[in-house]
Amino acid sequence: NAGVTQTPKFQVLKTGQSMTLQCAQDMNHNSMYWYRQDPGMGLRLIYYSASEGTTDKGEVPNGYNVSRLNKREFSLRLESAAPSQTSVYFCASTSTGGTGELFFGEGSRLTVL
Amino acid sequence: GESVGLHLPTLSVQEGDNSIINCAYSNSASDYFIWYKQESGKGPQFIIDIRSNMDKRQGQRVTVLLNKTVKHLSLQIAATQPGDSAVYFCAENIGGGATNKLIFGTGTLLAVQP
């Protein structure tokens, strides 16, 4: 099993460009999440999907959109990238119930010039 | 590697010593508290969790203590090894089992000196 797979691993954008980060999990998890990680600020929740067909805003949703394509896949889209969105993005998944142990991908490093 | 270690509180310990990493949380209604370890260039990995109705839980070489009175969580690592060097995050589950919405602390960098 690959666990949580994110693509791309690295991306450089110019201000105003758009892009989509892809995430897929093969653990049959119901819930999926997108976090961003900036130096000294830990991980902040952008959006999450508690189950297929639902999405909800997290702590920092502005400037992002998400799509829960099916149970396996959850994408994050930047419609008009800004330098403030330079960050490392992590996708995670977990089963409904339990303690909330999240399984994370390896991260996608995005630089917006 | 990642730059996430910059500007973080740092705990430096000698190999073989015990480490204690502290965390303050904010939401009294959180059901679970969880510790994660993040090595350079990788995603966070689960270490141990504790339910809000407990005050102590032990794992292999790790112990988590929860003090709800002062909203404080700590992670104790026994006989710290070089492989323990990483950034450690606490997280509180404010969503409950239905949504598992985790809010993370800012992290502590543990540096193990040989």
Side-chain angles (χ1 to χ4, degrees), chain B residues 37-89:
Chain B
K37 173 185 180 183
Q38 186 178 28
E39 297 175 335
S40 182
K42 296 186 176 181
Q45 286 186 297
F46 171 89
I47 301 173
I48 191 169
D49 59 38
I50 187 168
R51 193 166 186 172
S52 59
N53 62 357
M54 301 171 65
D55 53 20
K56 181 179 180 179
R57 189 171 186 210
Q58 288 184 293
Q60 187 176 9
R61 276 201 315 117
V62 296
T63 300
V64 57
L65 299 177
L66 175 63
N67 185 331
K68 293 181 287 294
T69 302
V70 295
K71 295 184 183 176
H72 184 267
L73 194 65
S74 68
L75 177 71
Q76 300 178 359
I77 304 174
T80 312
Q81 302 168 359
D84 295 327
S85 293
V87 177
Y88 289 81
F89 293 96

Side-chain angles (χ1 to χ4, degrees), chain A residues 7-110:
Chain A
T7 56
K9 287 184 169 34
F10 300 93
Q11 183 73 50
V12 179
L13 293 176
K14 294 181 179 178
T15 297
Q17 287 185 318
S18 62
M19 78 157 298
T20 300
L21 298 176
Q22 307 285 355
C23 175
Q25 53 89 12
D26 60 5
M27 296 174 281
N28 201 36
H29 286 162
N30 292 317
S31 303
M32 298 186 73
Y33 307 78
W34 277 105
Y35 284 86
R36 60 177 287 174
Q37 186 173 37
D38 303 300
M41 299 192 73
L43 293 99
R44 291 182 292 169
L45 182 62
I46 305 172
Y47 270 94
Y48 65 102
S49 172
S51 60
E52 187 178 356
T54 68
T55 60
D56 286 286
K57 295 178 180 179
E59 302 169 85
V60 288
N62 291 346
Y64 305 95
N65 287 301
V66 290
S67 296
R68 183 74 183 265
L69 305 171
N70 47 56
K71 190 172 186 178
R72 291 185 64 247
E73 299 172 289
F74 188 39
S75 63
L76 179 71
R77 182 160 178 84
L78 288 70
E79 290 291 352
S80 179
S84 61
Q85 294 178 304
T86 293
S87 190
V88 181
Y89 291 85
F90 287 97
C91 178
S93 69
T94 191
S95 300
T96 302
T99 67
E101 176 186 351
L102 300 185
F103 294 81
F104 283 86
E106 295 286 281
S108 299
R109 180 183 285 276
L110 175 66

Side-chain angles (χ1 to χ4, degrees), chain B residues 71-113:
Chain B
K71 295 184 183 176
H72 184 267
L73 194 65
S74 68
L75 177 71
Q76 300 178 359
I77 304 174
T80 312
Q81 302 168 359
D84 295 327
S85 293
V87 177
Y88 289 81
F89 293 96
C90 66
E92 51 182 321
N93 189 346
I94 66 171
T99 59
N100 288 319
K101 186 176 175 182
L102 268 64
I103 302 299
F104 284 78
T106 54
T108 297
L109 175 62
L110 176 64
V112 182
Q113 310 301 323

